[in-house]
Amino acid sequence: MSLRKARKILSFILSVIIVIGGISFTGAEIVKYTLCNEAYMSKTFASGAVHNQCVENFKSRISVISAKSNIPERVFEAILDNNTPSANTAVLRVFARNNATLYSDDLVERFESLCLEYLSGNEISYDKDMVHRTALYAAEVYSDCFGIKNTDEAMAFVDKVDKSHGKYASTGLLLIVLPMALILIMFSKKKDAQRALCSAFTALGLALVLIGFSGIIFNVGGSPLLAPQFYASSLSVSVKGAFAASIIIGILITVPSILGSVKQYKLSKTNNE
């Protein structure tokens, strides 16, 4: 086997290692700063569309309680102020490993206080136990509409990423840097080394683009077990955003790499002439 052929084979192997390392590093960073990032997830879950859906569901279900208790809907809807736990609060509680359902004794007391304030203010006789039960139902409805349930898997995923992110990122970075150094040492001519590196990073960029498109097309993570359903849909959108980030990063790597390869090809062709 000639030295030139051996270099090509070794260059191919090192390029594959760079691709593996790049996928490991980029994947770890994307997941860490999207799906496991409070700010990113809060924007998705606390979007205007999601909040409006929460409010609409709450008002729809509270009308049933209002009809049974003869307490106007506006009394229960008064809970919808700036101090009330929201979808954004629920997301933050997931990351804090706290109760993300938003159901609490404090919430029950706030509903009960609103009901008693209305009844007393209008001099309407009432059964205290009935009012308490009504407040319990209202708090459960609020929890169903604004809280996030079935978060055990999501919490476990975040914990797993927190523990393994450094390992995958550092390993991936090592698998990028070390082969690059070997390629630079292996080729005595700078243009040959640049050509090999451009090919390796072109392959890496295309791999990231392919992973991103495959994840979106095959709806990877599109059926999470979160409840209510529109939260599950929000999580699915967040996953698609992570795959979109992979596509964008892949393009940003691919384009300069291809341009570099074209430049090296033109220089090589000019020198041969």
Side-chain angles (χ1 to χ4, degrees):
M1 181 185 296
S2 64
L3 181 59
R4 185 176 181 181
K5 190 173 183 179
R7 282 179 177 173
K8 285 186 177 180
I9 294 174
L10 185 56
S11 176
F12 174 78
I13 294 174
L14 292 174
S15 296
V16 172
I17 294 174
I18 288 175
V19 172
I20 295 172
I23 292 174
S24 176
F25 175 78
T26 306
E29 294 300 302
I30 289 175
V31 173
K32 176 67 175 179
Y33 293 103
T34 56
L35 302 180
C36 295
N37 181 270
E38 290 184 25
Y40 174 82
M41 297 302 291
S42 293
K43 287 181 181 179
T44 305
F45 277 73
S47 67
V50 172
H51 178 72
N52 291 338
Q53 183 67 57
C54 291
V55 172
E56 183 181 332
N57 289 354
F58 176 73
K59 289 183 176 180
S60 175
R61 292 187 59 184
I62 215 68
S63 64
V64 177
I65 297 178
S66 174
K68 291 182 178 180
S69 64
N70 292 320
I71 298 175
E73 295 175 26
R74 69 176 185 277
V75 175
F76 299 99
E77 292 173 5
I79 203 77
L80 301 175
D81 58 34
N82 294 331
N83 297 319
T84 306
S86 63
N88 184 53
T89 305
V91 174
L92 296 180
R93 289 188 179 184
V94 170
F95 282 93
R97 315 312 190 262
N98 292 328
N99 176 23
T101 67
L102 302 183
Y103 184 89
S104 66
D105 292 337
D106 180 64
L107 186 62
V108 174
E109 289 177 6
R110 291 187 66 185
F111 274 114
E112 188 168 1
S113 177
L114 289 170
C115 292
L116 291 174
E117 182 181 347
Y118 165 77
L119 294 170
S120 299
N122 289 276
E123 299 181 352
I124 300 173
S125 60
Y126 59 86
D127 181 332
K128 194 169 183 179
D129 289 337
M130 183 275 292
V131 173
H132 182 67
R133 288 195 299 271
T134 300
L136 286 172
Y137 296 148
E140 289 174 1
V141 167
Y142 189 94
S143 173
D144 290 342
C145 295
F146 288 90
I148 304 176
K149 300 182 179 181
N150 303 331
T151 61
D152 290 345
E153 288 190 11
M155 290 181 177
F157 176 75
V158 173
D159 287 337
K160 185 177 180 180
V161 171
D162 285 341
K163 292 178 181 177
S164 60
H165 166 260
K167 178 179 68 177
Y168 283 104
S170 58
T171 301
L173 193 59
L174 180 64
L175 293 178
I176 295 173
V177 175
L178 186 57
M180 286 179 62
L182 291 175
I183 288 175
L184 291 173
I185 294 172
M186 183 173 60
F187 290 100
S188 57
K189 294 182 179 179
K190 184 179 178 181
K191 63 179 182 180
D192 292 335
Q194 290 177 341
R195 189 180 299 115
L197 290 175
C198 285
S199 298
F201 280 95
T202 298
L204 171 58
L206 292 175
L208 291 174
V209 171
L210 179 61
I211 290 171
F213 275 118
S214 297
I216 293 174
I217 292 172
F218 294 106
N219 198 30
V220 175
S223 302
L225 299 176
L226 291 183
Q229 179 57 42
F230 51 84
Y231 278 152
S233 299
S234 295
L235 180 56
S236 179
V237 170
S238 299
V239 174
K240 285 183 172 62
F243 282 119
S246 177
I247 294 173
I248 293 171
I249 294 173
I251 291 174
L252 292 177
I253 293 174
T254 302
V255 172
S257 299
I258 290 177
L259 292 177
S261 295
V262 172
K263 181 180 178 180
Q264 290 300 319
Y265 173 76
K266 289 182 177 179
L267 288 174
S268 177
K269 189 175 181 181
T270 301
N271 292 335
N272 291 333
E273 291 176 353

